[in-house]
Amino acid sequence: MTTYADRPWRALYREGQPVEVEPEFPHLLAMWADAVRRAPDQDAIRYFDATLSVAELDAASDALAAALQERGFTTGDRLAIYSQNDPAFVIAMLATWKAGGVAVSVNPMYKERELAHVLADSGARALVCLDEVHPVAVAALAAGSGVDVVITFSGRDFQTRDDERVLDPVGVPPADGAENLLGLLARYAGQRPGPVAPPGPDSEAFLVYTSGTTGDPKGARLTHANFVVNARNYREWMQLGPDDAILATAPLFHITGLVGHGVLSLLLPAPLVLGHRFHPGVMVDAIREHRPVFTVGAITAFSALAAVPGVGPDDFASLTKIYSGGAPVAPAVADRLETVLGGYVHNAYGLTETSSITHIVPPGRRAPVDPVSGALSIGVPIASVRSRIVDDAGADVAVGELGELLIAGPQVAHGYWNRPDVSAEAFPGGELRTGDVCFMDDEGWFYLVDRKKDMIIASGYKVWPREVEDVLCSHEAVHEAAVVGVPDDYRGETVTAFVSLVEGASLAETELIDFCRDRMAAYKYPRSITVVAALPKTASGKILRRELRA
């Protein structure tokens, strides 16, 4: 079969208009049903020493969907998945769709405050929760939510190796007030969910929470059509087939892992290699054992893999298609990784609001480097992506000129959940304002130069300064706070804070770092804090972040 990526890559982008593709399936359930019909005995998940076939995954998700329906879960309800890269994530995702619902991905690093916001904002009815973080969930639920079904599972489920590098060697006691996933799968084995109206292409499949182009976390409304189209783009552009195992380097709760690993594996169908959470040594062992062909993840993950003692190109020989997304890649880093990994790390670009990729460096091509800025190209637009670069007035800029990148196409989300005001600003006319400053050269390559706003990307995760500042200012000794991102060779950017204290107060910087660590995800809290007498401000009282960065 001739794929889009087999054709001359310049033909994929002509005068700003890409090749258009039609969705292969009307919704994700039709896509999955086709995979079950074609390859029921294919490995769907490989998790340490466990293997779930396509048919077994289908049966498990049927059982969970039936259990959810019996507990009152119905069409349009939301189910939050608070999980690492475990088989339970995929089972719960499919079960949610089969029961007519919408899945909500939750970062397992979220603390009580962050989880409570997602549960309340999404209106989740059910929660499938990793037992390790169930105490956090209990505290978040106590703050008030509509969740009335809680199902817990263990990272030790399905497998027997109990790798102590990522799995608790003792296990977590059964959670009070929650049902157990394995118990439900056994009780409802062989049952199928009751009939539900099939979702339309524009029906929500997932709410994925992101700070987006404005500060507070919002649920991007990602549809069945968004995922069907972009899973196909991954398959075609990366030239993948059922025999090409996928290494889940990126977390499934993140848009890159969700679409570029999870949904893609359901489409092919191809084995999805999971390892609970990212640990370089565990990932290297999984690569050696399962010989995956494709992965996409943050550049920091690949740097960590390359730093595992004793690894070399032979270990990574099967990974012939490696893509990096989530943060810009420095050319020197790409070159250094190639010597260890034995293969070129291709750039990819996308956002939560675009259901993952919109631009990639095509297979077999090397990204050019802009001689002026030193930026490595993020690639060319993939099929059906309509991207343009505009000035502050919204007018298209000339080739080579800087401006904000705007993206339209069937991959773009339908706005934010229950936020019509913010949606109208971020998606004018259905076109996403990315907030990223880019330019395009005369060959059609796109380059990401800077971010228009103050968003920080640390290890591929978005961090909005205001959220960190709010936590800092909740400390009784802090008067004012300002947070900025500073370059970091490993994380891309790291979070740095400047604070002024209440008069007469004293506070050790390490104490304040610990205060933040206890109240937010690990990638958000500041790695350094400087106490200053006063923050620099404009005449109108606005904090001068540019002076702090300097």
PDB file of all heavy atoms in Angstrom, residues 387-417:
ATOM      1  N   SER A 387      -2.167  25.114   8.374  1.00  0.00           N
ATOM      2  CA  SER A 387      -1.432  25.966   9.303  1.00  0.00           C
ATOM      3  C   SER A 387      -0.996  27.241   8.602  1.00  0.00           C
ATOM      4  O   SER A 387      -0.634  27.218   7.424  1.00  0.00           O
ATOM      5  CB  SER A 387      -0.224  25.219   9.872  1.00  0.00           C
ATOM      6  OG  SER A 387       0.596  24.720   8.835  1.00  0.00           O
ATOM      7  N   ARG A 388      -1.082  28.332   9.346  1.00  0.00           N
ATOM      8  CA  ARG A 388      -0.597  29.601   8.821  1.00  0.00           C
ATOM      9  C   ARG A 388       0.019  30.395   9.953  1.00  0.00           C
ATOM     10  O   ARG A 388      -0.210  30.120  11.133  1.00  0.00           O
ATOM     11  CB  ARG A 388      -1.723  30.381   8.149  1.00  0.00           C
ATOM     12  CG  ARG A 388      -2.868  30.774   9.046  1.00  0.00           C
ATOM     13  CD  ARG A 388      -4.076  31.254   8.247  1.00  0.00           C
ATOM     14  NE  ARG A 388      -5.145  31.757   9.101  1.00  0.00           N
ATOM     15  CZ  ARG A 388      -5.425  33.044   9.314  1.00  0.00           C
ATOM     16  NH1 ARG A 388      -4.691  33.976   8.696  1.00  0.00           N
ATOM     17  NH2 ARG A 388      -6.399  33.417  10.107  1.00  0.00           N
ATOM     18  N   ILE A 389       0.825  31.366   9.581  1.00  0.00           N
ATOM     19  CA  ILE A 389       1.534  32.197  10.551  1.00  0.00           C
ATOM     20  C   ILE A 389       1.080  33.630  10.350  1.00  0.00           C
ATOM     21  O   ILE A 389       1.093  34.142   9.227  1.00  0.00           O
ATOM     22  CB  ILE A 389       3.058  32.056  10.377  1.00  0.00           C
ATOM     23  CG1 ILE A 389       3.464  30.587  10.566  1.00  0.00           C
ATOM     24  CG2 ILE A 389       3.800  32.949  11.355  1.00  0.00           C
ATOM     25  CD1 ILE A 389       4.913  30.296  10.243  1.00  0.00           C
ATOM     26  N   VAL A 390       0.645  34.272  11.439  1.00  0.00           N
ATOM     27  CA  VAL A 390       0.035  35.591  11.340  1.00  0.00           C
ATOM     28  C   VAL A 390       0.738  36.581  12.252  1.00  0.00           C
ATOM     29  O   VAL A 390       1.375  36.201  13.242  1.00  0.00           O
ATOM     30  CB  VAL A 390      -1.470  35.533  11.692  1.00  0.00           C
ATOM     31  CG1 VAL A 390      -2.203  34.547  10.779  1.00  0.00           C
ATOM     32  CG2 VAL A 390      -1.684  35.153  13.145  1.00  0.00           C
ATOM     33  N   ASP A 391       0.561  37.872  11.925  1.00  0.00           N
ATOM     34  CA  ASP A 391       1.081  38.922  12.791  1.00  0.00           C
ATOM     35  C   ASP A 391       0.050  39.261  13.865  1.00  0.00           C
ATOM     36  O   ASP A 391      -1.006  38.631  13.958  1.00  0.00           O
ATOM     37  CB  ASP A 391       1.473  40.150  11.968  1.00  0.00           C
ATOM     38  CG  ASP A 391       0.302  40.742  11.182  1.00  0.00           C
ATOM     39  OD1 ASP A 391      -0.870  40.489  11.554  1.00  0.00           O
ATOM     40  OD2 ASP A 391       0.556  41.463  10.193  1.00  0.00           O
ATOM     41  N   ASP A 392       0.329  40.300  14.651  1.00  0.00           N
ATOM     42  CA  ASP A 392      -0.570  40.641  15.754  1.00  0.00           C
ATOM     43  C   ASP A 392      -1.944  41.088  15.281  1.00  0.00           C
ATOM     44  O   ASP A 392      -2.916  41.023  16.034  1.00  0.00           O
ATOM     45  CB  ASP A 392       0.055  41.740  16.616  1.00  0.00           C
ATOM     46  CG  ASP A 392       1.249  41.226  17.420  1.00  0.00           C
ATOM     47  OD1 ASP A 392       1.336  39.991  17.605  1.00  0.00           O
ATOM     48  OD2 ASP A 392       2.075  42.040  17.859  1.00  0.00           O
ATOM     49  N   ALA A 393      -2.029  41.528  14.039  1.00  0.00           N
ATOM     50  CA  ALA A 393      -3.319  41.957  13.491  1.00  0.00           C
ATOM     51  C   ALA A 393      -4.082  40.802  12.849  1.00  0.00           C
ATOM     52  O   ALA A 393      -5.200  40.984  12.361  1.00  0.00           O
ATOM     53  CB  ALA A 393      -3.106  43.077  12.480  1.00  0.00           C
ATOM     54  N   GLY A 394      -3.472  39.611  12.818  1.00  0.00           N
ATOM     55  CA  GLY A 394      -4.132  38.451  12.237  1.00  0.00           C
ATOM     56  C   GLY A 394      -3.889  38.263  10.762  1.00  0.00           C
ATOM     57  O   GLY A 394      -4.481  37.371  10.141  1.00  0.00           O
ATOM     58  N   ALA A 395      -3.016  39.074  10.179  1.00  0.00           N
ATOM     59  CA  ALA A 395      -2.710  38.962   8.748  1.00  0.00           C
ATOM     60  C   ALA A 395      -1.563  37.977   8.533  1.00  0.00           C
ATOM     61  O   ALA A 395      -0.620  37.922   9.334  1.00  0.00           O
ATOM     62  CB  ALA A 395      -2.331  40.320   8.179  1.00  0.00           C
ATOM     63  N   ASP A 396      -1.641  37.197   7.445  1.00  0.00           N
ATOM     64  CA  ASP A 396      -0.582  36.246   7.139  1.00  0.00           C
ATOM     65  C   ASP A 396       0.730  36.975   6.910  1.00  0.00           C
ATOM     66  O   ASP A 396       0.773  38.023   6.259  1.00  0.00           O
ATOM     67  CB  ASP A 396      -0.936  35.448   5.881  1.00  0.00           C
ATOM     68  CG  ASP A 396      -2.092  34.480   6.107  1.00  0.00           C
ATOM     69  OD1 ASP A 396      -2.538  34.355   7.262  1.00  0.00           O
ATOM     70  OD2 ASP A 396      -2.548  33.866   5.131  1.00  0.00           O
ATOM     71  N   VAL A 397       1.802  36.405   7.446  1.00  0.00           N
ATOM     72  CA  VAL A 397       3.119  36.998   7.243  1.00  0.00           C
ATOM     73  C   VAL A 397       3.784  36.336   6.040  1.00  0.00           C
ATOM     74  O   VAL A 397       3.371  35.273   5.573  1.00  0.00           O
ATOM     75  CB  VAL A 397       4.004  36.840   8.493  1.00  0.00           C
ATOM     76  CG1 VAL A 397       3.348  37.495   9.696  1.00  0.00           C
ATOM     77  CG2 VAL A 397       4.301  35.374   8.765  1.00  0.00           C
ATOM     78  N   ALA A 398       4.823  36.954   5.551  1.00  0.00           N
ATOM     79  CA  ALA A 398       5.563  36.430   4.407  1.00  0.00           C
ATOM     80  C   ALA A 398       6.460  35.272   4.846  1.00  0.00           C
ATOM     81  O   ALA A 398       6.761  35.097   6.036  1.00  0.00           O
ATOM     82  CB  ALA A 398       6.405  37.538   3.779  1.00  0.00           C
ATOM     83  N   VAL A 399       6.868  34.472   3.882  1.00  0.00           N
ATOM     84  CA  VAL A 399       7.797  33.382   4.156  1.00  0.00           C
ATOM     85  C   VAL A 399       9.036  33.937   4.853  1.00  0.00           C
ATOM     86  O   VAL A 399       9.591  34.960   4.445  1.00  0.00           O
ATOM     87  CB  VAL A 399       8.186  32.671   2.844  1.00  0.00           C
ATOM     88  CG1 VAL A 399       9.348  31.716   3.073  1.00  0.00           C
ATOM     89  CG2 VAL A 399       6.991  31.929   2.270  1.00  0.00           C
ATOM     90  N   GLY A 400       9.444  33.271   5.924  1.00  0.00           N
ATOM     91  CA  GLY A 400      10.631  33.680   6.648  1.00  0.00           C
ATOM     92  C   GLY A 400      10.369  34.660   7.771  1.00  0.00           C
ATOM     93  O   GLY A 400      11.264  34.910   8.587  1.00  0.00           O
ATOM     94  N   GLU A 401       9.163  35.220   7.845  1.00  0.00           N
ATOM     95  CA  GLU A 401       8.860  36.189   8.900  1.00  0.00           C
ATOM     96  C   GLU A 401       8.219  35.498  10.099  1.00  0.00           C
ATOM     97  O   GLU A 401       7.479  34.529   9.962  1.00  0.00           O
ATOM     98  CB  GLU A 401       7.933  37.282   8.375  1.00  0.00           C
ATOM     99  CG  GLU A 401       8.587  38.204   7.365  1.00  0.00           C
ATOM    100  CD  GLU A 401       7.682  39.370   7.003  1.00  0.00           C
ATOM    101  OE1 GLU A 401       6.624  39.530   7.647  1.00  0.00           O
ATOM    102  OE2 GLU A 401       8.045  40.127   6.079  1.00  0.00           O
ATOM    103  N   LEU A 402       8.499  36.066  11.271  1.00  0.00           N
ATOM    104  CA  LEU A 402       7.960  35.511  12.497  1.00  0.00           C
ATOM    105  C   LEU A 402       6.505  35.916  12.713  1.00  0.00           C
ATOM    106  O   LEU A 402       6.082  37.002  12.324  1.00  0.00           O
ATOM    107  CB  LEU A 402       8.781  35.995  13.697  1.00  0.00           C
ATOM    108  CG  LEU A 402      10.223  35.496  13.816  1.00  0.00           C
ATOM    109  CD1 LEU A 402      10.888  36.140  15.025  1.00  0.00           C
ATOM    110  CD2 LEU A 402      10.253  33.979  13.944  1.00  0.00           C
ATOM    111  N   GLY A 403       5.761  35.029  13.347  1.00  0.00           N
ATOM    112  CA  GLY A 403       4.390  35.314  13.723  1.00  0.00           C
ATOM    113  C   GLY A 403       3.834  34.175  14.547  1.00  0.00           C
ATOM    114  O   GLY A 403       4.529  33.193  14.830  1.00  0.00           O
ATOM    115  N   GLU A 404       2.573  34.294  14.935  1.00  0.00           N
ATOM    116  CA  GLU A 404       1.938  33.242  15.726  1.00  0.00           C
ATOM    117  C   GLU A 404       1.405  32.150  14.811  1.00  0.00           C
ATOM    118  O   GLU A 404       0.781  32.425  13.783  1.00  0.00           O
ATOM    119  CB  GLU A 404       0.792  33.807  16.561  1.00  0.00           C
ATOM    120  CG  GLU A 404       0.128  32.756  17.445  1.00  0.00           C
ATOM    121  CD  GLU A 404      -1.014  33.287  18.288  1.00  0.00           C
ATOM    122  OE1 GLU A 404      -1.363  34.471  18.121  1.00  0.00           O
ATOM    123  OE2 GLU A 404      -1.557  32.524  19.111  1.00  0.00           O
ATOM    124  N   LEU A 405       1.633  30.900  15.211  1.00  0.00           N
ATOM    125  CA  LEU A 405       1.166  29.760  14.439  1.00  0.00           C
ATOM    126  C   LEU A 405      -0.308  29.497  14.746  1.00  0.00           C
ATOM    127  O   LEU A 405      -0.696  29.344  15.903  1.00  0.00           O
ATOM    128  CB  LEU A 405       1.998  28.526  14.777  1.00  0.00           C
ATOM    129  CG  LEU A 405       1.609  27.214  14.088  1.00  0.00           C
ATOM    130  CD1 LEU A 405       1.771  27.311  12.580  1.00  0.00           C
ATOM    131  CD2 LEU A 405       2.435  26.052  14.638  1.00  0.00           C
ATOM    132  N   LEU A 406      -1.128  29.441  13.691  1.00  0.00           N
ATOM    133  CA  LEU A 406      -2.542  29.087  13.799  1.00  0.00           C
ATOM    134  C   LEU A 406      -2.771  27.781  13.047  1.00  0.00           C
ATOM    135  O   LEU A 406      -2.194  27.571  11.971  1.00  0.00           O
ATOM    136  CB  LEU A 406      -3.426  30.184  13.218  1.00  0.00           C
ATOM    137  CG  LEU A 406      -3.840  31.339  14.141  1.00  0.00           C
ATOM    138  CD1 LEU A 406      -2.638  32.081  14.672  1.00  0.00           C
ATOM    139  CD2 LEU A 406      -4.764  32.308  13.406  1.00  0.00           C
ATOM    140  N   ILE A 407      -3.622  26.926  13.613  1.00  0.00           N
ATOM    141  CA  ILE A 407      -3.833  25.594  13.040  1.00  0.00           C
ATOM    142  C   ILE A 407      -5.323  25.298  12.953  1.00  0.00           C
ATOM    143  O   ILE A 407      -6.080  25.537  13.899  1.00  0.00           O
ATOM    144  CB  ILE A 407      -3.149  24.501  13.885  1.00  0.00           C
ATOM    145  CG1 ILE A 407      -1.633  24.724  13.905  1.00  0.00           C
ATOM    146  CG2 ILE A 407      -3.471  23.107  13.352  1.00  0.00           C
ATOM    147  CD1 ILE A 407      -0.898  23.787  14.845  1.00  0.00           C
ATOM    148  N   ALA A 408      -5.747  24.765  11.808  1.00  0.00           N
ATOM    149  CA  ALA A 408      -7.119  24.292  11.617  1.00  0.00           C
ATOM    150  C   ALA A 408      -7.065  22.910  10.988  1.00  0.00           C
ATOM    151  O   ALA A 408      -6.049  22.503  10.426  1.00  0.00           O
ATOM    152  CB  ALA A 408      -7.906  25.259  10.733  1.00  0.00           C
ATOM    153  N   GLY A 409      -8.176  22.193  11.074  1.00  0.00           N
ATOM    154  CA  GLY A 409      -8.255  20.866  10.472  1.00  0.00           C
ATOM    155  C   GLY A 409      -9.041  19.915  11.351  1.00  0.00           C
ATOM    156  O   GLY A 409      -9.441  20.258  12.475  1.00  0.00           O
ATOM    157  N   PRO A 410      -9.267  18.703  10.880  1.00  0.00           N
ATOM    158  CA  PRO A 410     -10.078  17.739  11.632  1.00  0.00           C
ATOM    159  C   PRO A 410      -9.421  17.232  12.905  1.00  0.00           C
ATOM    160  O   PRO A 410     -10.053  16.540  13.693  1.00  0.00           O
ATOM    161  CB  PRO A 410     -10.277  16.597  10.633  1.00  0.00           C
ATOM    162  CG  PRO A 410      -9.119  16.697   9.701  1.00  0.00           C
ATOM    163  CD  PRO A 410      -8.835  18.165   9.577  1.00  0.00           C
ATOM    164  N   GLN A 411      -8.154  17.567  13.118  1.00  0.00           N
ATOM    165  CA  GLN A 411      -7.473  17.173  14.353  1.00  0.00           C
ATOM    166  C   GLN A 411      -7.754  18.129  15.505  1.00  0.00           C
ATOM    167  O   GLN A 411      -7.496  17.810  16.661  1.00  0.00           O
ATOM    168  CB  GLN A 411      -5.948  17.140  14.137  1.00  0.00           C
ATOM    169  CG  GLN A 411      -5.490  16.162  13.091  1.00  0.00           C
ATOM    170  CD  GLN A 411      -5.365  16.807  11.717  1.00  0.00           C
ATOM    171  OE1 GLN A 411      -5.966  17.842  11.452  1.00  0.00           O
ATOM    172  NE2 GLN A 411      -4.586  16.192  10.836  1.00  0.00           N
ATOM    173  N   VAL A 412      -8.269  19.325  15.198  1.00  0.00           N
ATOM    174  CA  VAL A 412      -8.378  20.377  16.209  1.00  0.00           C
ATOM    175  C   VAL A 412      -9.595  20.150  17.105  1.00  0.00           C
ATOM    176  O   VAL A 412     -10.696  19.849  16.640  1.00  0.00           O
ATOM    177  CB  VAL A 412      -8.446  21.758  15.540  1.00  0.00           C
ATOM    178  CG1 VAL A 412      -8.681  22.860  16.564  1.00  0.00           C
ATOM    179  CG2 VAL A 412      -7.147  22.028  14.769  1.00  0.00           C
ATOM    180  N   ALA A 413      -9.395  20.315  18.413  1.00  0.00           N
ATOM    181  CA  ALA A 413     -10.453  20.126  19.400  1.00  0.00           C
ATOM    182  C   ALA A 413     -11.601  21.095  19.157  1.00  0.00           C
ATOM    183  O   ALA A 413     -11.452  22.135  18.506  1.00  0.00           O
ATOM    184  CB  ALA A 413      -9.892  20.338  20.808  1.00  0.00           C
ATOM    185  N   HIS A 414     -12.745  20.760  19.730  1.00  0.00           N
ATOM    186  CA  HIS A 414     -13.936  21.593  19.602  1.00  0.00           C
ATOM    187  C   HIS A 414     -14.051  22.561  20.773  1.00  0.00           C
ATOM    188  O   HIS A 414     -15.138  22.769  21.306  1.00  0.00           O
ATOM    189  CB  HIS A 414     -15.179  20.718  19.503  1.00  0.00           C
ATOM    190  CG  HIS A 414     -15.317  20.049  18.175  1.00  0.00           C
ATOM    191  ND1 HIS A 414     -16.513  19.545  17.705  1.00  0.00           N
ATOM    192  CD2 HIS A 414     -14.413  19.798  17.187  1.00  0.00           C
ATOM    193  CE1 HIS A 414     -16.334  19.012  16.506  1.00  0.00           C
ATOM    194  NE2 HIS A 414     -15.066  19.151  16.182  1.00  0.00           N
ATOM    195  N   GLY A 415     -12.932  23.122  21.188  1.00  0.00           N
ATOM    196  CA  GLY A 415     -12.943  24.085  22.281  1.00  0.00           C
ATOM    197  C   GLY A 415     -12.701  23.421  23.620  1.00  0.00           C
ATOM    198  O   GLY A 415     -12.252  22.269  23.708  1.00  0.00           O
ATOM    199  N   TYR A 416     -12.993  24.163  24.687  1.00  0.00           N
ATOM    200  CA  TYR A 416     -12.773  23.699  26.052  1.00  0.00           C
ATOM    201  C   TYR A 416     -14.110  23.400  26.731  1.00  0.00           C
ATOM    202  O   TYR A 416     -15.108  24.081  26.503  1.00  0.00           O
ATOM    203  CB  TYR A 416     -12.007  24.746  26.857  1.00  0.00           C
ATOM    204  CG  TYR A 416     -10.627  25.044  26.326  1.00  0.00           C
ATOM    205  CD1 TYR A 416     -10.314  26.304  25.818  1.00  0.00           C
ATOM    206  CD2 TYR A 416      -9.634  24.078  26.330  1.00  0.00           C
ATOM    207  CE1 TYR A 416      -9.052  26.594  25.334  1.00  0.00           C
ATOM    208  CE2 TYR A 416      -8.364  24.356  25.845  1.00  0.00           C
ATOM    209  CZ  TYR A 416      -8.080  25.611  25.343  1.00  0.00           C
ATOM    210  OH  TYR A 416      -6.832  25.886  24.857  1.00  0.00           O
ATOM    211  N   TRP A 417     -14.091  22.406  27.579  1.00  0.00           N
ATOM    212  CA  TRP A 417     -15.290  21.948  28.282  1.00  0.00           C
ATOM    213  C   TRP A 417     -15.861  23.067  29.164  1.00  0.00           C
ATOM    214  O   TRP A 417     -15.166  23.610  30.036  1.00  0.00           O
ATOM    215  CB  TRP A 417     -14.922  20.734  29.127  1.00  0.00           C
ATOM    216  CG  TRP A 417     -16.037  20.117  29.896  1.00  0.00           C
ATOM    217  CD1 TRP A 417     -16.266  20.222  31.236  1.00  0.00           C
ATOM    218  CD2 TRP A 417     -17.055  19.262  29.366  1.00  0.00           C
ATOM    219  NE1 TRP A 417     -17.366  19.486  31.575  1.00  0.00           N
ATOM    220  CE2 TRP A 417     -17.880  18.884  30.461  1.00  0.00           C
ATOM    221  CE3 TRP A 417     -17.361  18.782  28.096  1.00  0.00           C
ATOM    222  CZ2 TRP A 417     -18.983  18.053  30.306  1.00  0.00           C
ATOM    223  CZ3 TRP A 417     -18.456  17.951  27.942  1.00  0.00           C
ATOM    224  CH2 TRP A 417     -19.250  17.598  29.024  1.00  0.00           C
TER     225      TRP A 417
END
